[in-house]
Amino acid sequence: MAASDVVSFFINGKPYHSKKTFDVVSPATGKVVHRCGNADTQDAELAVDAAAGAFPKWRQTTSSQRRDIFLKAAEIMESRRAELVRYFVDETGGTEIWGNLNIDIAVDLIKDVAGRISAIEGSFPTTKDPNTSAIVTRQPFGVVLSIAPWNAAYILGTRSVVFPVAAGNTVVLKATESAPKTMWAIASVFHEAGLPNGVLNTLSHEPAAAASVTSSLISNSHVKKINFTGSTNVGRIIGRLAGENLKPVVLELGGKAPAIVWEDADLVNAAKQCALGAFLNSGQICMSTERILVHKNVKEAFVVKLKEWVDALFPPDQASPVLINGAAVAKNKQLLANAMSIGATILHGDPDAQEASKAMMRPVILGNVTKDMDIYHIECFGPTVSIIEIETEEQAIEIANDTEYGLTSAVFTEDLRRGLRFAHQIESGAVHINSMSVHDEASLPHGGAKSSGFGRFNALSGLQEWVWTKNITYVN
């Protein structure tokens, strides 16, 4: 394979080729798309050193200088849309529609952050001594380690770096091994926009190197804060390593989003939104609807409409949706098999369907789901959704909250007061009334509760995560 087919890193603003490489395989075709550099601990140290070297100068740049770079980056990302979407589709098996939506949100995110940079401000509090004055300043941390996943790579990769960089930090982006070219492209866009060398550095590695490289990055004395988006299991490891090194961390982890469909809901809208929320990107979104809690008085009618919308949005006569790998399909089929072995029934779809690839699976709707089934508790992260019958508000809240996760949720009702009652009681970082659980936009803080993580991305909250307060006093 030619050198041009190997994804390099960005270290100190220049292409960097590691000693080893690994194959990046398309889940849609099963073929090698390209190879990627395989970072080791020495490569990781070089990336951190580059970020640490760039920090003193970058932190001194003005808000308008950073803003102009960000706005230029948004313009370049838009102009390179076709190229960037191609990387995304090739590496993750996602659709062009999903890839373009990723670009839409990433561009909007960059523009939104650009407009908020000047909102980082300090204060002059009144002190008890009239002869003493005080200033409270906001300081960037220094080097930030950002770790982002593949499933919405342009959205999640972009947000992992733009907030720290906007606040005056420098970043090492540890890109997912499943979409390294996609993550490379984010850094490429910002360098083309004029981001100084060393401010944004990238690495990637095969899974076997994850433990050593991640541990070395987190323990590096230059790294001051971490953000991680990914599974709860890996998030616990990141949190433990950060705790051992006394470093703050922002975690956006897994979900098991409920959608409550009340008896007065607009069933056409509820069915459409639940179909999208459950099966968009093959259910491989941390905000995906995994449990639909339907009032018994409308359950039968709702299920009919849900099946109609699933077939309309994901036509059975078209190619099957692609998941990231065969293991993801196997996990979902195992969860379905466990549930069916103890009483669940298939309402729509065929878990045993033979597909052209082991990474393909069509949507499945499961009924008669109870809490003694694995699928009731475990995040599927795939094209399966469970129907659970409810009768009272109290029962709905109890089931909605009967999970370790708390990222997002949805409620469908024509009574806003009831919708708000539900919203205040559901233990999740977001509740969307009469729209799907998958909802992420630049102006809304995004993050979870319970085992879905802590800290926030997006909006002003997302920017303030990346500065710390310093008190300065002086005698008048």
Side-chain angles (χ1 to χ4, degrees), residues 6-319:
V6 177
V7 182
S8 62
F9 308 149
F10 274 106
I11 295 182
N12 205 27
K14 298 177 177 61
Y16 176 90
H17 295 276
S18 59
K19 296 175 184 177
K20 297 180 179 180
T21 61
F22 64 91
D23 290 340
V24 180
V25 177
S26 166
T29 66
K31 297 180 179 179
V32 175
V33 181
H34 41 242
R35 296 184 65 79
C36 179
N38 187 14
D40 58 23
T41 56
Q42 290 181 321
D43 299 326
E45 185 175 353
L46 287 174
V48 174
D49 287 347
F55 175 62
K57 188 173 181 180
W58 178 247
R59 71 176 298 179
Q60 296 299 325
T61 55
T62 65
S63 59
S64 59
Q65 289 173 316
R66 296 177 206 165
R67 177 202 64 205
D68 291 348
I69 291 172
F70 275 47
L71 292 176
K72 183 66 174 176
E75 180 183 321
I76 291 168
M77 183 173 280
E78 182 60 61
S79 71
R80 292 174 59 181
R81 174 184 288 268
E83 170 202 352
L84 270 57
V85 169
R86 185 174 70 254
Y87 298 152
F88 181 87
V89 172
D90 286 348
E91 291 188 322
T92 71
T95 64
E96 288 191 8
I97 293 174
W98 181 238
N100 275 294
L101 182 60
N102 262 250
I103 298 295
D104 290 341
I105 295 176
V107 168
D108 187 56
L109 182 63
I110 297 169
K111 291 178 180 178
D112 186 86
V113 174
R116 294 182 189 273
I117 295 174
S118 59
I120 300 175
E121 58 185 17
S123 61
F124 290 84
T126 302
T127 62
K128 65 180 181 179
D129 184 350
N131 295 315
T132 300
S133 296
I135 305 171
V136 178
T137 65
R138 303 276 187 173
Q139 306 280 321
F141 282 87
V143 179
V144 169
L145 170 61
S146 298
I147 307 175
W150 53 267
N151 57 314
Y154 285 121
I155 301 170
L156 304 181
T158 298
R159 78 175 189 189
S160 78
V161 302
V162 294
F163 290 102
V165 169
N169 303 278
T170 55
V171 170
V172 175
L173 171 60
K174 194 171 83 70
T176 169
E177 75 278 1
S178 297
K181 186 78 170 182
T182 304
M183 297 285 183
W184 170 91
I186 296 170
S188 173
V189 163
F190 275 92
H191 283 97
E192 186 178 341
L195 193 70
N197 292 347
V199 175
L200 175 55
N201 308 274
T202 65
L203 295 169
S204 191
H205 55 73
E206 62 185 351
S212 60
V213 172
T214 304
S215 179
S216 70
L217 286 166
I218 292 176
S219 63
N220 190 299
S221 61
H222 289 303
V223 173
K224 304 301 183 184
K225 189 169 182 177
I226 304 107
N227 74 71
F228 170 80
T229 300
S231 72
T232 294
N233 287 340
V234 177
R236 287 191 173 98
I237 297 171
I238 300 297
R240 175 177 56 79
L241 291 171
E244 289 173 352
N245 289 277
L246 292 178
K247 295 181 181 180
V249 60
V250 174
L251 299 173
E252 199 260 78
L253 308 176
K256 190 75 178 171
I260 297 173
V261 180
W262 201 247
E263 61 180 328
D264 67 341
D266 177 340
L267 295 185
V268 173
N269 176 62
K272 179 181 180 180
Q273 295 297 316
C274 285
L276 285 168
F279 301 121
L280 189 65
N281 196 36
S282 300
Q284 299 172 119
I285 306 172
C286 52
M287 299 174 284
S288 292
T289 302
E290 297 216 0
R291 299 171 296 150
I292 305 177
L293 285 50
V294 189
H295 196 284
K296 71 171 189 176
N297 290 346
V298 294
K299 177 185 170 184
E300 184 176 341
F302 171 80
V303 170
V304 170
K305 295 183 184 304
L306 179 63
K307 292 191 287 188
E308 291 172 351
W309 273 112
V310 169
D311 284 345
L313 294 167
F314 310 97
D317 59 346
Q318 294 184 8

Side-chain angles (χ1 to χ4, degrees), residues 424-441:
H424 286 301
Q425 295 179 79
I426 296 174
E427 297 167 349
S428 64
V431 182
H432 305 292
I433 300 174
N434 292 329
S435 62
M436 64 176 165
S437 60
V438 178
H439 189 131
D440 188 14
E441 60 180 283

